[in-house]
């Protein structure tokens, strides 16, 4: 009723040279054959291409099969698992993955097409996996042009390595200092200026915390004993309603506030009529004290940490200068949820 299929194989040494020398090998290969669709991770609607592979393939064999189809270097490919619960790329697959293709497809539902995602790199995948992806923002000297940077310094690198990587992607001013610094920003206020010897693994990005790379203005490279860099931020009515682009400003001890105000106006390039509506306050320990008399001199001690405060280089524990005015910045999210292509400048 059910029947049996009996396969005969002639006993001949010539068959030993075949890729599948025995009938048992041939049928086992049929059993493990699977159609896998590979989609480009960077193309949201990519229909991909389908290859007939074996579930017993290792990572290297799979990469070579895809590379042969695409006409590229197998070591310049990065693969991603399918999310399983919904269509889309999931976690990346390390090039040192020791499992088989079957292990990579384990999250795919049985009746769904087998799918993996990939992207082509301009460096070797092994080099990429030794680097740390670090997203930050670049701001020009006029505090106008802000754009996202995706940097790939070494995993064990320091802030100095990150700044050196950023230098290859940004354009410095002709009359600038040529030096870069990394600012840590939270809720539109400058939290800290990170030291160049800090390990990158100690920096965490998330929530309202971001990092910004900027060129240090020439006048801020060497501070005299009676000078201080103070954090400045925008807010409206309540000090927790901060917005816009915060910045650092150099002030001198016992300098009339009217001079500080003039420098701020030049720095922000705000028209006179609009700038007249700005109110200024020194915010200390969550309380604001508005500056009424503009001829009043400002002491740098007003911006030093509260006695006994453990700052550890953290500027948030220090007083800051707030600019109270209406928020006219366009309402848009500063985060892009669409991943960009990996681009590393050597």
């Amino acid at each position: 009723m059910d029947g049996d299929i009996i396969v005969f194989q002639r006993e001949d040494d010539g068959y030993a040279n075949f890729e599948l020398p025995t009938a048992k090998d041939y049928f086992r290969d049929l059993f493990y054959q699977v159609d896998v669709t590979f989609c480009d991770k960077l193309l949201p609607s990519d229909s991909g291409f389908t290859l007939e592979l074996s579930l017993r393939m290792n990572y290297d064999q799979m990469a070579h099969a895809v590379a042969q189809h695409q006409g590229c270097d197998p070591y310049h490919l990065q693969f991603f698992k399918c999310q399983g619960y919904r269509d889309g790329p999931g976690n990346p697959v390390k090039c040192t993955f020791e499992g088989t293709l079957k292990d990579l497809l384990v999250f795919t539902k049985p009746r769904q097409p087998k799918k993996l995602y990939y992207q082509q790199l301009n460096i070797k995948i092994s080099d990429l996996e030794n680097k740390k992806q670090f997203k930050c923002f670049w701001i020009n000297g006029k505090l106008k042009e802000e754009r996202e940077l995706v940097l790939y310094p070494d995993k064990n690198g320091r802030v100095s390595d990150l700044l050196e990587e950023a230098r290859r992607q940004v354009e410095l001013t002709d009359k600038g200092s040529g030096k870069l610094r990394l600012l840590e920003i939270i809720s539109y206020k400058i939290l800290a200026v990170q030291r160049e010897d800090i390990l990158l693994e100690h920096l965490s990005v998330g929530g309202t915390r971001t990092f910004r790379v900027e060129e240090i203005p020439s006048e801020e490279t060497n501070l005299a004993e009676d000078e201080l860099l103070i954090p400045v931020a925008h807010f409206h009515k309540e000090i927790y309603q901060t917005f816009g682009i915060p910045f650092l400003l150099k002030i001198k001890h016992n300098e009339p506030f009217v001079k500080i105000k003039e420098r701020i106006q030049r720095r922000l390039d705000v028209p006179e009529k609009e700038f007249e509506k700005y109110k200024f306050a020194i915010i200390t320990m969550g309380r604001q004290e508005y500056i009424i008399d503009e001829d009043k001199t400002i002491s740098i001690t007003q911006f030093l940490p509260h006695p006994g405060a453990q700052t550890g280089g953290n500027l948030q524990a220090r007083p800051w200068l707030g600019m109270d005015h209406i928020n006219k910045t366009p309402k848009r999210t500063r985060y892009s949820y669409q991943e960009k292509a990996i681009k590393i400048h050597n």
Side-chain angles (χ1 to χ4, degrees), residues 5 16 45 49 66 156 192 202 242 284 298:
I5 299 176
S45 303
F49 57 89
V66 174
N156 299 323
H202 294 159
T242 47
T284 308
I298 300 297

Side-chain angles (χ1 to χ4, degrees), residues 141-181:
K142 296 182 179 179
L143 303 176
K144 298 289 184 182
E145 182 183 340
E146 187 178 32
R147 65 182 176 91
E148 186 181 62
L149 297 178
V150 182
L151 306 174
Y152 290 88
D154 290 337
K155 282 185 176 179
N156 299 323
R158 301 178 183 273
V159 169
S160 57
D161 301 313
L162 181 76
L163 295 178
E164 189 60 35
E165 181 77 20
R167 185 183 299 276
R168 303 188 186 105
Q169 298 192 30
V170 301
E171 186 175 347
L172 304 180
T173 57
D174 294 334
K175 298 181 180 179
S177 66
K179 298 179 180 179
L180 300 180
R181 63 187 172 199

Side-chain angles (χ1 to χ4, degrees), residues 14-34:
Y15 286 92
N17 297 323
F18 290 170
E19 184 179 353
L20 302 169
T22 69
K24 193 173 183 179
D25 293 329
Y26 172 76
F27 285 107
R28 183 183 289 116
D29 183 68
L30 283 181
F31 177 75
Y32 284 109
Q33 276 183 8
V34 61

Side-chain angles (χ1 to χ4, degrees), residues 4-24:
D4 289 323
I5 299 176
I6 301 177
V7 179
F8 291 88
Q9 179 174 349
R10 190 170 59 189
E11 193 171 345
D12 190 332
D13 291 342
Y15 286 92
N17 297 323
F18 290 170
E19 184 179 353
L20 302 169
T22 69
K24 193 173 183 179

Side-chain angles (χ1 to χ4, degrees), residues 19-202:
E19 184 179 353
L20 302 169
T22 69
K24 193 173 183 179
D25 293 329
Y26 172 76
F27 285 107
R28 183 183 289 116
D29 183 68
L30 283 181
F31 177 75
Y32 284 109
Q33 276 183 8
V34 61
D35 288 336
V36 182
T37 300
F38 291 88
C39 298
D40 192 328
K41 177 178 178 284
L42 304 178
L43 302 176
S45 303
D46 184 31
S47 58
F49 57 89
T50 301
L51 297 179
E52 187 179 88
L53 305 176
S54 171
L55 290 172
R56 296 191 295 174
M57 276 185 166
N58 58 30
Y59 177 92
D60 200 51
Q61 291 170 325
M62 177 191 68
H64 276 78
V66 174
Q68 184 178 4
H69 181 275
Q70 293 296 89
C72 64
D73 188 332
Y75 302 109
H76 283 227
L77 289 172
Q78 184 180 28
F79 296 94
F80 301 82
K81 294 179 181 179
C82 189
Q83 289 187 8
Y85 60 89
R86 68 182 181 91
D87 199 15
N91 295 327
V93 181
K94 286 186 175 294
C95 65
T96 54
F97 179 71
E98 296 181 352
T100 62
L101 180 59
K102 182 180 179 180
D103 300 320
L104 295 179
L105 301 174
V106 71
F107 296 107
T108 307
K109 293 181 180 179
R111 296 184 180 180
Q112 282 186 340
K114 308 298 183 183
K115 183 183 289 188
L116 289 174
Y117 290 84
Y118 75 97
Q119 68 176 345
Q120 293 191 35
L121 311 171
N122 58 4
I123 65 168
K124 288 186 176 181
I125 178 64
S126 55
D127 293 338
L128 174 65
E129 290 179 356
N130 289 326
K131 294 181 180 294
K132 174 184 177 71
Q133 186 188 76
F134 195 96
K135 292 185 178 181
C136 56
F137 292 87
W138 163 256
I139 195 77
N140 66 6
K142 296 182 179 179
L143 303 176
K144 298 289 184 182
E145 182 183 340
E146 187 178 32
R147 65 182 176 91
E148 186 181 62
L149 297 178
V150 182
L151 306 174
Y152 290 88
D154 290 337
K155 282 185 176 179
N156 299 323
R158 301 178 183 273
V159 169
S160 57
D161 301 313
L162 181 76
L163 295 178
E164 189 60 35
E165 181 77 20
R167 185 183 299 276
R168 303 188 186 105
Q169 298 192 30
V170 301
E171 186 175 347
L172 304 180
T173 57
D174 294 334
K175 298 181 180 179
S177 66
K179 298 179 180 179
L180 300 180
R181 63 187 172 199
L182 182 69
L183 303 184
E184 185 174 354
I185 296 173
I186 185 168
S187 299
Y188 303 100
K189 298 193 299 290
I190 296 175
L191 178 69
V193 180
Q194 293 295 341
R195 300 197 320 268
E196 292 194 7
D197 61 343
I198 295 291
L199 290 172
L200 294 176
E201 62 183 20
H202 294 159

Side-chain angles (χ1 to χ4, degrees), residues 223-241:
L223 298 179
E225 292 184 2
D226 62 342
E227 295 176 336
L228 182 70
L229 282 182
I230 65 170
V232 185
H234 304 260
F235 75 99
H236 183 50
K237 293 183 179 179
E238 302 292 341
I239 59 174
Y240 60 84
Q241 293 184 346

